[in-house]
Amino acid sequence: MAPNFRIDFGSYIPSTQTVKERCTSLKAWELPKQESALAPDYVWTNKDMDPVPPEDQTWTLWTWMAYWATDTINLGTWETASSIIAVGLTWREAIPIMIVGTFCVAVPMVLNGAIGAALHVPFSVIVRSGFGYYFAYFCIISRSILAMFWLGIQGANGAKAMQLMISSIWPSFNNIKDTIGMETQGISTEGMISYFLFWLIQLPLLLIPPTKLRWLFIVKLVAAPITAIATLGWCVHKAGGSGALFNQPVKVHGSEYAYLWLSCMSAVTGSWATLACNIPDFSRYARSSKGQYIQLPFLPIIFTICGVLGIVTTSATQLLWDKEPLWNPLDIIAHWQAYGHSGRAAAFFAATAWYIAQVGTNITANSISAANDLTVLFPRWVNIYRGCIIAAVVGGWVIVPWKILSSATTFLAFMGGYSVFLAPMAGIIASDYWLIKRRQIDVPALYDPYGRYRYFYGINWQAMVAFLFAVGPNLPGLAYSINPVGTHISQGTKNLYTFDWLFGFVVSIFLYTTLHKIFPARESLIEKTIDGVEASMGRKAEAGNASPPLESGDDDEKHVHAHRKQSESYGYANVDPIHRARDVQRQHDTNMPLPKEQQAAVKQGEGHDATAPVQTIPVPQEPGPGQILVKINWTGLCASDKSLLHDEWAPFGVSMRPEAKGIAGHEGAGEVVAVHADVEGLWKLGDRAGVKWVVSVCRECEFCTNGSDELQCAQQLNSGFTAAGTFQEYVLTDGRYATRLPEGVRDEEAGPIMCGGVTAYTACKRSAVKPGQWIVMIGAGGGLGHFGVQYAKAMGMRIIAVDGGAEKRKLCTDLGAEQYIDFAETKDIPGKVMEVTKYGAHGVIVFAAAPQGYQIAPSLLRPGGTVVSVGLPSDPSVVAGAPPILLALKRINIVGSVTGTLKDVEEALDFTARDLVHPILTKGSLGDVDKFCKMMIEGKLPGRAVLRVAG
Ligand SMILES: [Zn+2]
Ligand SMILES: [Zn+2]
């Protein structure tokens, strides 16, 4: 065990150079941004926030049992059980109360634990799926405060174990003079020394990475039960029986009895309320998704056993010392010190065991949770390791926990009652995953503020409404429990509060699912999980610095395998990425035969009602002369695809030709699976290839041979228009005009660059704006515009972005625009541009299809400037141009731009390979074509849409 720790901590000790830098610059504290990060480039994530890679998925069934055993055996459980007796119920009630109470919380524990086990991401990331990207922060912040608070309080409680340990060795410690002042400061000198030592020794233990915790579990599992049973044995033996407390009759009756029963049950449930939310912080390390189900029976059993030990021991103590029962086992141990050397030795070991128990619980229930939250709140600066240190300092010292324990009773009551807020969180997370999303989650989108889980400005109003209505009715009860004297509430409200947790959990589930039934948030639904581990491993592999790790081969691993086989036959993609990655490899190695059938989104019907449902069609087995067969992993969905599918250009005589077979799509990226002998010199199996709008040209006409105008070739074929497009798993395309995808560009990014990216890039080139000169982009925050801003920035231009709204402002400035003009707010846009540029901009690109952009564009230019026309208004009367006098006197250029040549595409891809340009993606699957087209029409589709096709 020791060498393990040395390795782990060794890597955290910074070098002298690093220490020097960190003393002088804040930037030196920045955490490295993950190569494999799933988040878009403008969002910072770190390793601990990303899905757990397969090599760190170390938790097995045994780890789970040890986890719960260590989590449950602590002073709190012992006292919770005894307090049931203290309020007037008997052990006959206490046992079913403990079983039912823990079972109530074991259910959400398993439901939410399954999410972590399947997706390998923490609570603070999962919560975005139901609450929305920004509303999730409410949950994350409140949970992190709670976790740090309990970390401190448990420490202050546990300091008594330390005090016993010291005084067992040096009995005079008990008589040390109090120079701090128990009365005023809430702690004595003796208490402070004990607390400080408790905290100090706990600190390195809190820093054990979650993947290595099993060692601590083992120590606690041996020490704690022995001590508990020894304490029990000693008390019962000494007292000659279990005492009158054990045999006392029930003191309350009727409805009072029923509500007392319920409130005791809620106290048991509430003590695990935080974990019911954030259990994914642990289950994310699980190797298989099944191990965590052991919690369901195990938690009630182990809690009840520990509780019964507490009750029996407490009952026996009543006979021993002045008829006053001792609720805290440490008080019993303290009495042992009177029995000479052997008594003190026993007291020392027992106190040490409770110390370990207390620290173990602090790690599992509080420290790691707080650290995970801080990681997500400050990803640039905090990882789990640093988060544990911050939580230990804030919880241990900043909140002054000993003072809260001694004097702040109302605050304690409030924090104790916080399960009122946690119950609906657990309910919404569970129902969102199991009932609404039906276990299909787009993991990369969880990291994207503009992604699928954005809802309304980052807030899912359905979660908000469900949350408020589940919390509201319990608030009077909470107020009453905090201040019973000054608060007057009805008996009914008091009674409701006795089962606050259950109420909040059930009501939130009911409301959240009902609201979704009535107002389905379709854009947040997905047919097939987009797996985060797989995606980040894919990115790593593409970056060329990792190979898929091999399995370690134990029992757990086998059933993962079986489970995966079964699930894949149902078409789930979210199962066990380790094997998936190896399968892809195998396909390369053994050159597996092509499948006979494939999925494709095929156009049905005409006009605006046309759809593109997924159908099974044959796979072309042999490439024709000059052709290659490309397996499409991702394809972009361009606005032109929508126009062709909906026959929007039919009035201009442009409709999808029969050769396209109803299959649209012209932003494909994937790998070559078959090559015609003609082009064997160009392509090998497994090469990565991209398919564009222009799929082939004649290579003979004037335009094809002048070196720059091949896009004007009259013989050209177009993907999804005159040739079957990329909305199918296997596409035949011209090997001489397909694009080779460079290393470092992921398929899902390469797709949208094939049309959207290269269009924006070519427009930047056509503007002829040089580095350091001004360019205005109208519609800069849109699907094309956001590409344009990045290319222009990378090309050294100074950008003035024009678009509407604060959200677009943030996007444009984040991507590199120097100025932002909100057309909704700024009346005089030319005036504003002149103010910034003095004589006007050197170029203007009109990305927006709205006529207004073309009206103002010429007036934004300085003499000799250029307007680039890209956005195409559907109104044929709109003209790009300027009054001749302006055009002549200012020598203005008006140029057009459409997609880009083979060479342009290569250049555009290179910007992404060099990490300068990245599309903002809204991801979906092949079945999402209709949904995304609808969102596009409604203007609700952020960034570029990409669909996962094969792979
Ligand atoms: Zn396009
Ligand atoms: Zn040609």
Side-chain angles (χ1 to χ4, degrees):
M1 137 182 193
N4 245 332
F5 286 160
R6 205 166 303 140
I7 292 163
D8 282 323
F9 291 124
S11 62
Y12 288 114
I13 297 170
S15 68
T16 333
Q17 174 70 23
T18 314
V19 171
K20 241 183 229 160
E21 280 170 15
R22 284 184 179 173
C23 289
T24 50
S25 131
L26 189 63
K27 204 158 171 65
W29 286 93
E30 259 183 22
L31 292 165
K33 199 176 167 179
Q34 275 295 88
E35 279 273 351
S36 62
L38 293 174
D41 251 49
Y42 52 91
V43 178
W44 199 285
T45 65
N46 63 49
K47 180 169 176 286
D48 287 339
M49 197 180 151
D50 274 353
V52 176
E55 64 268 26
D56 285 339
Q57 294 166 12
T58 54
W59 281 39
T60 63
L61 187 78
W62 296 107
T63 328
W64 275 111
M65 293 178 45
Y67 171 82
W68 276 109
T70 53
D71 215 56
T72 313
I73 306 171
N74 61 49
L75 295 172
T77 303
W78 187 288
E79 287 180 327
T80 307
S82 304
S83 70
I84 299 175
I85 311 289
V87 297
L89 295 171
T90 72
W91 66 272
R92 277 178 227 91
E93 281 85 28
I95 291 177
I97 283 173
M98 289 188 286
I99 293 176
V100 177
T102 39
F103 188 76
C104 277
V105 80
V107 170
M109 201 80 79
V110 166
L111 290 177
N112 290 335
I115 313 177
L119 307 177
H120 303 287
V121 297
F123 154 85
S124 30
V125 170
I126 286 167
V127 71
R128 290 168 175 169
S129 152
F131 282 79
Y133 191 88
Y134 291 117
F135 188 34
Y137 281 100
F138 167 75
C139 306
I140 303 170
I141 291 170
S142 39
R143 214 268 321 238
S144 71
I145 293 172
L146 268 182
M148 286 192 271
F149 171 83
W150 287 120
L151 182 67
I153 296 292
Q154 294 292 349
N157 268 331
K160 192 161 175 46
M162 180 54 71
Q163 192 169 344
L164 276 173
M165 286 159 72
I166 305 172
S167 60
S168 296
I169 303 173
W170 297 285
S172 58
F173 184 65
N174 280 331
N175 309 322
I176 203 166
K177 188 166 174 280
D178 179 14
T179 53
I180 295 180
M182 186 67 196
E183 294 303 308
T184 53
Q185 298 304 319
I187 195 163
S188 63
T189 306
E190 180 194 358
M192 178 49 83
I193 295 172
S194 309
Y195 179 71
F196 178 70
L197 283 174
F198 178 98
W199 185 87
L200 198 68
I201 299 173
Q202 175 184 252
L203 188 60
L205 298 174
L206 293 181
L207 301 181
I208 302 174
T211 48
K212 298 276 169 15
L213 275 176
R214 66 175 94 171
W215 297 108
L216 185 88
F217 292 167
I218 290 168
V219 175
K220 179 169 169 178
L221 266 185
V222 174
I226 292 177
T227 307
I229 291 166
T231 311
L232 165 86
W234 185 83
C235 286
V236 172
H237 174 76
K238 192 83 186 161
S242 55
L245 197 56
F246 204 50
N247 300 317
Q248 71 178 357
V250 184
K251 289 177 191 145
V252 288
H253 300 280
S255 69
E256 197 191 340
Y257 170 84
Y259 284 113
L260 197 56
W261 203 100
L262 276 174
S263 104
C264 286
M265 195 198 86
S266 280
V268 172
T269 309
S271 60
W272 303 106
T274 34
L275 265 179
C277 288
N278 69 263
I279 189 69
D281 290 348
F282 299 95
S283 63
R284 63 191 292 220
Y285 297 103
R287 193 168 296 168
S288 89
S289 51
K290 283 197 181 143
Q292 62 106 14
Y293 287 106
I294 191 69
Q295 301 178 94
L296 195 59
F298 198 67
L299 173 57
I301 292 171
I302 197 95
F303 185 92
T304 309
I305 292 175
C306 184
V308 168
L309 285 181
I311 293 172
V312 176
T313 313
T314 307
S315 301
T317 59
Q318 203 179 17
L319 297 174
L320 281 176
W321 295 285
D322 307 332
K323 297 283 172 195
E324 194 54 46
L326 295 180
W327 307 107
N328 187 335
L330 294 174
D331 291 335
I332 303 170
I333 294 167
H335 276 93
W336 297 355
Q337 291 185 340
Y339 292 80
H341 282 296
S342 56
R344 275 171 28 211
F348 175 79
F349 285 112
T352 310
W354 281 115
Y355 175 87
I356 296 169
Q358 204 65 4
V359 172
T361 304
N362 242 353
I363 294 173
T364 50
N366 304 321
S367 172
I368 290 176
S369 315
N372 266 295
D373 293 335
L374 291 168
T375 301
V376 173
L377 289 175
F378 312 104
R380 191 186 286 250
W381 311 104
V382 181
N383 54 16
I384 288 184
Y385 180 81
R386 290 180 188 177
C388 284
I389 297 178
I390 294 169
V393 172
V394 173
W397 299 100
V398 177
I399 68 161
V400 207
W402 56 88
K403 194 130 195 197
I404 293 177
L405 268 182
S406 71
S407 57
T409 47
T410 51
F411 186 59
L412 265 177
F414 172 73
M415 292 308 249
Y418 206 85
S419 60
V420 164
F421 301 96
L422 293 168
M425 278 182 212
I428 290 169
I429 295 169
S431 51
D432 179 69
Y433 181 73
W434 290 94
L435 302 173
I436 309 295
K437 309 283 157 63
R438 294 181 186 273
R439 295 190 289 153
Q440 307 306 327
I441 300 286
D442 179 352
V443 178
L446 290 172
Y447 293 86
D448 185 353
Y450 294 93
R452 187 185 298 282
Y453 305 117
R454 179 171 171 79
Y455 302 99
F456 181 73
Y457 288 92
I459 297 165
N460 184 4
W461 67 270
Q462 301 181 354
M464 193 179 256
V465 170
F467 183 82
L468 292 177
F469 278 87
V471 167
N474 269 320
L475 286 180
L478 177 63
Y480 179 77
S481 78
I482 294 169
N483 182 9
V485 185
T487 318
H488 302 284
I489 60 168
S490 70
Q491 193 56 40
T493 330
K494 262 183 224 170
N495 292 343
L496 176 68
Y497 189 67
T498 57
F499 55 102
D500 62 318
W501 196 92
L502 215 53
F503 175 86
F505 185 68
V506 174
V507 168
S508 64
I509 290 180
F510 174 76
L511 283 178
Y512 186 68
T513 44
T514 310
L515 280 173
H516 185 86
K517 280 264 152 15
I518 304 171
F519 311 100
R522 288 213 178 79
E523 72 281 1
S524 72
L525 304 179
I526 176 171
E527 280 177 7
K528 226 172 166 188
T529 286
I530 299 177
D531 188 280
V533 181
E534 197 182 329
S536 63
M537 283 192 29
R539 189 161 175 182
K540 246 194 231 169
E542 277 165 32
N545 56 7
S547 54
L550 294 175
E551 64 192 285
S552 54
D554 69 356
D555 284 358
D556 231 13
E557 190 76 20
K558 273 176 211 140
H559 76 237
V560 177
H561 205 91
H563 173 63
R564 171 188 152 262
K565 280 218 170 105
Q566 187 203 351
S567 307
E568 279 204 343
S569 63
Y570 294 115
Y572 291 119
N574 57 336
V575 212
D576 194 39
I578 308 178
H579 297 85
R580 172 161 280 281
R582 285 193 303 137
D583 276 356
V584 174
Q585 210 63 31
R586 200 174 300 142
Q587 209 169 347
H588 279 304
D589 296 347
T590 58
N591 220 339
M592 264 172 51
L594 288 170
K596 293 272 177 293
E597 289 182 329
Q598 60 164 336
Q599 304 290 98
V602 184
K603 182 175 188 271
Q604 303 281 307
E606 303 284 323
H608 287 292
D609 300 328
T611 55
V614 175
Q615 292 185 2
T616 304
I617 61 165
V619 174
Q621 296 290 317
E622 283 295 318
Q627 281 186 326
I628 54 175
L629 184 65
V630 181
K631 181 173 147 208
I632 300 292
N633 292 328
W634 288 87
T635 177
L637 195 166
C638 181
S640 319
D641 294 319
K642 180 209 68 181
S643 300
L644 283 166
L645 285 172
H646 290 191
D647 302 299
E648 285 170 11
W649 297 333
F652 304 99
V654 178
S655 322
M656 206 186 262
R657 301 287 151 80
E659 301 92 284
K661 299 177 186 154
I663 302 169
H666 57 268
E667 293 187 334
E671 59 192 299
V672 176
V673 291
V675 180
H676 189 268
D678 283 4
V679 282
E680 264 176 357
L682 283 172
W683 296 96
K684 289 194 311 294
L685 294 185
D687 281 355
R688 296 176 59 228
V691 177
K692 306 176 289 297
W693 167 244
V694 175
V695 284
S696 84
V697 292
C698 78
R699 312 174 66 79
E700 284 163 6
C701 71
E702 177 183 334
F703 301 116
C704 279
T705 50
N706 75 359
S708 61
D709 291 325
E710 79 232 25
L711 294 175
Q712 309 303 323
C713 174
Q715 310 285 316
Q716 67 180 270
L717 291 179
N718 301 107
S719 181
F721 174 51
T722 47
T726 55
F727 293 173
Q728 57 178 334
E729 290 178 87
Y730 294 89
V731 167
L732 277 178
T733 196
D734 185 340
R736 294 195 177 88
Y737 205 72
T739 295
R740 186 174 298 280
L741 300 182
E743 289 230 331
V745 182
R746 294 182 282 157
D747 286 345
E748 66 261 45
E749 290 192 322
I753 293 171
M754 291 298 124
C755 175
V758 74
T759 300
Y761 171 63
T762 318
C764 287
K765 289 213 293 190
R766 292 279 284 157
S767 75
V769 173
K770 296 188 178 63
Q773 297 184 340
W774 289 103
I775 188 153
V776 179
M777 295 191 172
I778 298 174
L784 282 177
H786 88 282
F787 263 123
V789 172
Q790 298 180 65
Y791 283 113
K793 165 91 180 158
M795 292 158 87
M797 303 176 193
R798 305 180 69 182
I799 302 143
I800 300 174
V802 181
D803 215 314
E807 201 181 326
K808 297 272 173 88
R809 173 192 298 274
K810 178 161 182 349
L811 174 65
C812 293
T813 45
D814 281 353
L815 293 178
E818 228 170 286
Q819 297 282 335
Y820 178 81
I821 299 177
D822 192 329
F823 63 70
E825 286 170 6
T826 311
K827 292 250 152 36
D828 182 15
I829 296 177
K832 178 74 188 160
V833 170
M834 290 302 157
E835 187 189 313
V836 174
T837 61
K838 195 165 178 192
Y839 297 117
H842 302 79
V844 177
I845 303 177
V846 187
F847 285 119
Q852 294 88 335
Y854 286 101
Q855 275 162 23
I856 60 163
S859 56
L860 307 179
L861 291 174
R862 68 173 56 203
T866 304
V867 171
V868 186
S869 152
V870 180
L872 305 179
S874 53
D875 175 0
S877 68
V878 177
V879 169
I885 187 159
L886 183 68
L887 205 61
L889 292 182
K890 280 181 124 183
R891 298 204 307 121
I892 283 172
N893 309 294
I894 310 280
V895 304
S897 184
V898 63
T899 71
T901 63
L902 188 58
K903 186 80 184 82
D904 292 329
V905 175
E906 269 173 23
E907 289 170 13
L909 283 166
D910 191 49
F911 281 82
T912 304
R914 288 190 290 133
D915 209 17
L916 294 168
V917 174
H918 293 286
I920 288 171
L921 300 174
T922 296
K923 293 180 188 175
S925 57
L926 200 52
D928 287 330
V929 172
D930 291 328
K931 189 175 85 185
F932 278 9
C933 286
K934 187 165 166 280
M935 285 165 71
M936 220 176 246
I937 294 165
E938 291 166 354
K940 285 187 187 155
L941 204 140
R944 295 293 291 187
V946 281
L947 310 173
R948 176 157 211 144
V949 187

